[in-house]
């Protein structure tokens, strides 16, 4: 496992890009950003800070059909209100706490977000759950269930095959599903 520590006096822009594994980001009342990376290739992950931008980029391995790309597991603690961009091939993504804008894209993997500002979440296959969205929320899943507990603004949800549940929405709500229930 590798660990990285950075002084961050306010919200940052965190960019994470991985092939497979998991990404867990905790937003906390802190002035230090910590990044822990576990997995066989943890020491090959680029972790770099440039001002309020922090990048965590996994190695790109070209492998065959039964390739040996190892799973990487990233756990980051960032200041509350930080902005997230996460791109993965196959990884579960969890955001605990309150975040600014989020752009999350995963080929396959579950996405769980506590509280976000204006955000876009896309998965090829994977369930998506957002507890609270304080601004516009756009969600797209090829095959996965989508659950939104509370949206304080406009919501657009599209899934090819999956159930959709919206607890409450204070803005316009557009929902599309190829084969799934709506609640």
């Amino acid at each position: 496992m590798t660990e990285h520590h950075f002084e961050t006096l306010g919200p940052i822009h965190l960019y994470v890009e991985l092939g497979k594994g998991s990404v867990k980001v905790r937003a906390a009342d802190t002035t230090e950003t910590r990044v822990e990376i576990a997995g066989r290739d943890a020491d090959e992950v680029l972790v770099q800070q440039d001002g309020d931008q922090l990048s965590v980029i996994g190695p790109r391995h070209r492998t065959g059909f039964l390739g040996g790309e190892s799973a990487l597991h990233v756990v980051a603690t960032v200041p509350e209100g930080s902005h997230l961009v996460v791109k993965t091939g196959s990884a579960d993504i969890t955001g605990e706490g309150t975040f600014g804008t989020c752009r999350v894209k995963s080929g396959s993997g579950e996405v769980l977000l506590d509280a976000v500002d204006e955000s876009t979440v896309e998965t090829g296959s994977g369930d998506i759950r957002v507890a609270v969205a304080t601004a516009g929320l756009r969600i797209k899943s090829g095959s996965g269930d989508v659950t939104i507990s509370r949206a304080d603004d406009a919501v657009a949800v599209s899934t090819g095959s999956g159930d959709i549940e919206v607890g409450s929405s204070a803005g316009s709500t557009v929902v599309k599903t190829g084969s799934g229930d709506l609640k």
Side-chain angles (χ1 to χ4, degrees), residues 30-73:
T30 184
T31 58
E32 177 185 62
T33 293
R34 292 186 314 271
V35 178
E36 300 170 0
I37 305 163
R40 184 183 73 204
D41 298 327
D43 58 340
E44 294 181 37
V45 176
L46 171 68
V47 180
Q48 181 177 342
Q49 182 183 26
D50 183 14
D52 69 349
Q53 173 80 35
L54 180 63
S55 300
V56 179
I57 302 172
R60 290 175 177 33
H61 292 289
R62 296 195 183 271
T63 57
F65 178 70
L66 299 174
E69 180 181 4
S70 71
L72 291 166
H73 305 283

Side-chain angles (χ1 to χ4, degrees), residues 59-95:
R60 290 175 177 33
H61 292 289
R62 296 195 183 271
T63 57
F65 178 70
L66 299 174
E69 180 181 4
S70 71
L72 291 166
H73 305 283
V74 174
V75 177
T77 302
V78 300
E80 289 178 321
S82 289
H83 309 280
L84 301 179
V85 174
V86 180
K87 296 179 182 180
T88 68
S90 176
D92 290 339
I93 301 165
T94 304

Side-chain angles (χ1 to χ4, degrees), residues 10-33:
I12 66 166
H13 295 268
L14 177 64
Y15 175 83
V16 180
E17 186 175 329
L18 292 182
K20 67 179 180 179
S22 65
V23 177
K24 180 182 240 179
V25 183
R26 297 180 183 119
D29 184 14
T30 184
T31 58
E32 177 185 62
T33 293

Side-chain angles (χ1 to χ4, degrees), residues 144-147 157-166 175-183:
D145 294 339
V146 176
T147 304
V157 179
S158 173
T159 181
S161 62
D163 296 339
I164 300 172
E165 181 176 344
V166 179
V175 177
K176 296 178 186 177
T177 181
S179 62
D181 296 332
L182 171 63
K183 183 176 178 183

